[in-house]
Amino acid sequence: MLTKRFYIIFICLVATIALSAQELSIDDCFEDNILARKSVTAVKVKGERLKAYNLTTFRSVTVAADKRTASWVLRMVKEDAANATDREEGVKQGKLQYAFYVFRHKKSKTYRYIFFRNNKPEQDAVTDVTLVYMEGKATLGELKQMFK
C-alpha cells in the first residue's frame, strides 16, 4: 500500500515539475494589468498569418518612458535566460543592450524564442524596452533569414 501511494505522489510531482518547466517568466509581461498601462504597446498574432513563417505565436510588448515597468521586463527576461538552450547577448558597460534566447521542446520539436532590446541604451536607467516572444517550428536560421 505504501509503495502504491509513493508512486502516485511521485508521478504527481514529476507532472507538476514538467508543467512548470514549460512556463516562462516573461509570460507575466503579456498579462492584462501590464498591457493596460499607458506606457505599453502590445502586438499579438496567432494562426494563419504566421503559417508562412513556420510560427504559431508572435507577441511583443514595447515599454516607453517607464523606468519601473521597463526594469521589471528586463528582470523577467534575465530569469528566463538562465534556462535558454541557446543565446546571443550584447552587453555594453555592464548593461544588456539586446538578447536573443532559444528554448527547445525536444518532444514536440518546436522552439520558443525571446528577443529583448534596450531601446535607449545611452540612458543610465532602463526606461524603454522591446520584448518579443515567438513560438513554432521555425529554426533559428529561418528566423535570421526572415529578419534580414
Side-chain angles (χ1 to χ4, degrees):
M1 187 76 152
L2 182 63
T3 306
K4 187 175 184 179
R5 181 180 273 165
F6 172 78
Y7 284 118
I8 290 171
I9 292 171
F10 179 75
I11 289 170
C12 289
L13 180 63
V14 169
T16 302
I17 292 170
L19 287 174
S20 66
Q22 294 176 359
E23 293 176 13
L24 294 171
S25 295
I26 63 148
D27 289 342
D28 292 342
C29 299
F30 300 100
E31 293 292 325
D32 290 340
N33 63 328
I34 301 299
L35 302 179
R37 295 180 185 182
K38 290 180 182 179
S39 62
V40 174
T41 303
V43 174
K44 182 177 183 178
V45 183
K46 282 189 150 202
E48 289 296 316
R49 295 178 68 192
L50 293 174
K51 257 189 176 175
Y53 304 104
N54 217 6
L55 294 172
T56 56
T57 303
F58 177 95
R59 297 184 297 185
S60 73
V61 169
T62 299
V63 178
D66 184 345
K67 179 181 175 181
R68 184 171 161 228
T69 304
S71 295
W72 177 77
V73 169
L74 174 59
R75 202 167 45 255
M76 297 299 101
V77 168
K78 287 182 176 181
E79 282 181 20
D80 287 332
N83 298 315
T85 55
D86 201 1
R87 73 184 59 232
E88 182 178 321
E89 299 173 321
V91 178
K92 186 174 183 180
Q93 296 176 342
K95 288 192 331 190
L96 187 64
Q97 306 293 306
Y98 73 91
F100 193 76
Y101 302 112
V102 181
F103 304 84
R104 292 187 189 114
H105 275 286
K106 292 181 180 174
K107 287 186 178 181
S108 65
K109 296 184 182 177
T110 59
Y111 298 89
R112 295 181 298 167
Y113 299 97
I114 294 175
F115 174 74
F116 170 84
R117 186 176 84 179
N118 180 352
N119 296 326
K120 294 197 175 177
E122 68 280 354
Q123 293 184 353
D124 289 335
V126 177
T127 61
D128 297 66
V129 299
T130 298
L131 169 66
V132 175
Y133 171 80
M134 295 172 284
E135 187 175 305
K137 294 194 175 193
T139 64
L140 183 56
E142 290 171 329
L143 287 179
K144 285 184 177 182
Q145 285 297 318
M146 283 186 256
F147 290 112
K148 276 190 177 181

